[in-house]
Amino acid sequence: MHRMHLRAQTMASLRMFLVVGMMMMIIMHSPMVIVGDKIGIGVCYGMVANNLPSATDVISLYKKYNIGKLRLFDPNPDALEALKGSGIDVALGLKNEDIPSIATSTEGAESWFTTNVLPYLSNITFSFISVGNEAIPGEFANDVAPAMSNLQAVLNDHNLNGITVTTAVATMVLGVSYPPSAGQFSPETKGALADVLSFLSIKGSPLMANVYPYFAYASDPDQVRLDYALFTAKDPVVVDGNLSYHNLFDATVDSFYWAMEKQGVNNVGVAVSESGWPSAGNGGFTTPELASTYNRNFMQHVLNMGGTPKRPGAYIEGFIFAMFNENQKPSGIEQNWGLFYPNMQPVYAVF
């Protein structure tokens, strides 16, 4: 009986070991990373439309699909009111046209902060404040870094060092992006970006980048493979020295890392402030199936937290563009980036 009891205990222990092991394998290989009860991915809330749901309904939609992060391109009061108490982390944008007044003085930065951030601090978690969107290059390019510094000074005065100040740039700031190790910023952006990167390096904060493999593929499908753009390539497509690339997303992000290193900065990460794939507007290049494939794989790639070939394991924040199709944008692909129609029905399945 004693031996039978021991054998029963041993079998029970073995079964428990196997169950725990299987659970660990499921967790380790799950395509979703859950933060609390929310998916740790962001979605951009664009508003260039006249037929969108109310902000309250939009935030309810984020919550329905457990979307844990949201990017606002400007401090829209209705959206901020709706976000109160939602538990959704907010990356807040600052309009490009507001950059000069904030760059001029800390008083200008304090005024913007007092109007657009301070009233919501007790009810909203702000993860980022982005000083402009794709303001470099452009008429406000040289004001971006001073505006970042003044805004940071205001946050410091309010003991809000947990909010990251940065700016968002397009991949067009890269004068060279292929191969990734040749990545460097274009001559017209190097000056403004040098000051931005100096600020980010001191703070240890990431540069936001809008990364769209779609555009590279659609502009040159003979040279850019679809599976390379969609994260579906089984084997390396690009070999750059001792680094192998299965997808264009990683290659683009690593081009930013190399470009920053050529500027003497090696401790600044990349947060992907926009990425996505249009579901219509350009024939066979833009279908709901392609858009679904890209966004699902982008989401999984970010949530797996594997980094890139150049910086394996480096955390990359990610935001899908965008929540809705926006009918006041130029016709064609620009109106078809949304995960949802304005009636809040999915364009295709992602979550």
Side-chain angles (χ1 to χ4, degrees), residues 26 42 47 64 69 75 111 120 145 168 188 197 213 222 263 293 314:
I26 290 169
M47 303 180 190
K64 175 182 176 180
K69 302 176 183 182
S111 175
Y120 308 101
E188 62 266 32
L197 293 175
D222 291 333
Q263 296 278 93
T293 298

Side-chain angles (χ1 to χ4, degrees), residues 242-261:
N242 64 344
L243 300 179
S244 297
Y245 290 89
H246 290 72
N247 64 80
L248 181 53
F249 176 88
D250 280 349
T252 305
V253 173
D254 276 356
S255 296
F256 271 98
Y257 289 142
W258 259 295
M260 289 190 284
E261 289 181 5

